[in-house]
Amino acid sequence: MTVHPVASIGAQHPRVRDLLSLRKDGSPGRIMVEGGWEHDRLLTTTATIEAFFWCPEAAPDDIGAIADRALEVYRISAKLLARLSRKTRSDGLISIARLPQWRPQAFRFSAESIVLVADGVEYAGNLGTLIRTADAAKVDCLILTSRRARPTHPAVYSASRGTVLSTPILEFDDIPAAADWLRGHRFQVHLADPAATGSYRIPRYGGPTAFVVGSEGSGLSREWHAEGFGAVSIPMLGQADSLNVALSAGILLFEARARKDGW
C-alpha cells in the first residue's frame, strides 16, 4: 500500500480556501465529494482525487483506500470540518475530485443510441437526478444548453448518486450549435412540451433518438422550438399541468429504451 504523507492544516491553508469555493458551486472540472457512500462510489470510478481531507474524530478508522488514490491527504479538526461540511452530520470524509472531460467529436452513435438534452435547468438537485436517470436508461450522453445549474455543484454529485463521474456530459455555447450537432449525427429530436398534441407513446423511436427537456419554471427555450423539431407530451390526467423535469425525462427515456431493446 502506498503511504501518503498526511499534513495537519488549518483554516488559512490554500487548500481549505479552495475547498470552500468548491463547496458553494464547484469550479470547472472539479467537484466536492463528501460522505461515506459518496467515497465508496468515488472509488469505483477512475476519477482523479486531487485532495482528500479527513477528520479523525468523525471519520471511520480505515481510510487507506481513499488516501492511496488521493494526490494530497490532509488532516483537519472537528471545528474546521463543521465549517467545510455541507451535511448536518458529517462522516469526516471530504475530497476534491476531477470530472472527466468529454469532447463532441469523440462520440459515435447507432440506432440504439439515446441522448438527453437539458435546456436551462435551474436546480442542482434536478440536474443530478437527470444525470442519474440518464445513466439508468443507458443514455449515450447528456447535453446541456442555456445552463444555469453547474454539473460541478456538490449537490449534483449526491443527487446523481455519483454518476456525474461516469455519465458523458457535453455543453454547447448556444442552442443552434447543439441542434446542428444532433442533426449531424442523424438524431430524431423530440421536444418535451406539455402543450404538444402528440403523446410520447406515438413515435416508434427507430434510429438515434434525442429528447429535449426544459427548465423547471419556463420550460423549453423558444430557440429550441425555432429549430423545427417535433414535440411530444406526457398526458396530464389530473389537475397538475406538468411533471418534475427529471420525472418527465425518465418516462420519455425509458419509453424509448423499451422500444429499442424490445421490452
Side-chain angles (χ1 to χ4, degrees):
M1 181 178 74
T2 303
V3 178
H4 288 274
V6 180
S8 294
I9 59 173
Q12 299 307 311
H13 193 278
R15 270 302 193 190
V16 172
R17 294 197 294 271
D18 190 22
L19 186 56
L20 283 171
S21 67
L22 287 172
R23 183 185 184 279
K24 294 179 181 178
D25 202 19
S27 70
R30 302 187 302 157
I31 194 167
M32 173 181 171
V33 177
E34 180 183 5
W37 73 258
E38 290 89 344
H39 278 81
D40 288 343
R41 169 62 184 158
L42 176 58
L43 290 174
T44 68
T45 74
T46 59
T48 297
I49 303 175
E50 194 174 289
F52 170 53
F53 307 77
W54 69 285
C55 174
E57 292 87 350
D61 293 334
D62 184 11
I63 60 164
I66 310 170
D68 287 347
R69 281 275 300 274
L71 301 181
E72 302 169 12
V73 182
Y74 299 104
R75 175 174 175 165
I76 58 175
S77 67
K79 182 178 179 180
L80 183 53
L81 174 66
R83 181 180 174 189
L84 294 173
S85 176
R86 291 173 49 88
K87 293 177 173 281
T88 302
R89 186 171 181 175
S90 178
D91 297 333
L93 308 172
I94 302 176
S95 287
I96 298 173
R98 295 177 188 167
L99 293 172
Q101 301 297 306
W102 307 94
R103 300 183 182 280
Q105 60 270 28
F107 287 86
R108 299 293 182 270
F109 299 104
S110 69
E112 285 70 44
S113 293
I114 303 176
V115 163
L116 176 64
V117 182
D119 179 57
V121 173
E122 302 173 51
Y123 303 116
N126 277 341
L127 177 56
T129 306
L130 283 168
I131 294 169
R132 180 180 179 180
T133 304
D135 169 82
K138 201 171 69 175
V139 164
D140 292 65
C141 70
L142 172 69
I143 293 175
L144 302 179
T145 58
S146 311
R147 181 191 52 74
R148 298 180 68 178
R150 293 175 180 267
T152 54
H153 192 289
V156 171
Y157 188 92
S158 298
S160 75
R161 298 296 290 182
T163 56
V164 67
L165 293 179
S166 54
T167 301
I169 300 174
L170 299 176
E171 185 173 349
F172 285 87
D173 292 333
D174 56 63
I175 288 170
D180 287 344
W181 186 81
L182 290 168
R183 288 192 189 95
H185 287 284
R186 301 183 182 278
F187 274 88
Q188 184 68 39
V189 181
H190 305 275
L191 308 181
D193 182 0
T197 56
S199 164
Y200 74 100
R201 300 296 310 277
I202 295 174
R204 300 182 65 180
Y205 303 119
T209 302
F211 294 103
V212 187
V213 296
S215 70
E216 298 87 344
S218 54
L220 279 178
S221 165
R222 292 181 180 179
E223 286 187 80
W224 272 111
H225 288 286
E227 292 294 330
F229 298 125
V232 294
S233 66
I234 300 170
M236 296 288 102
L237 308 180
Q239 297 184 29
D241 61 358
S242 64
L243 295 173
N244 170 274
V245 62
L247 178 56
S248 297
I251 292 171
L252 299 172
L253 293 175
F254 276 95
E255 177 72 16
R257 178 54 63 207
R259 301 285 188 92
K260 290 178 184 297
D261 292 358
W263 296 355

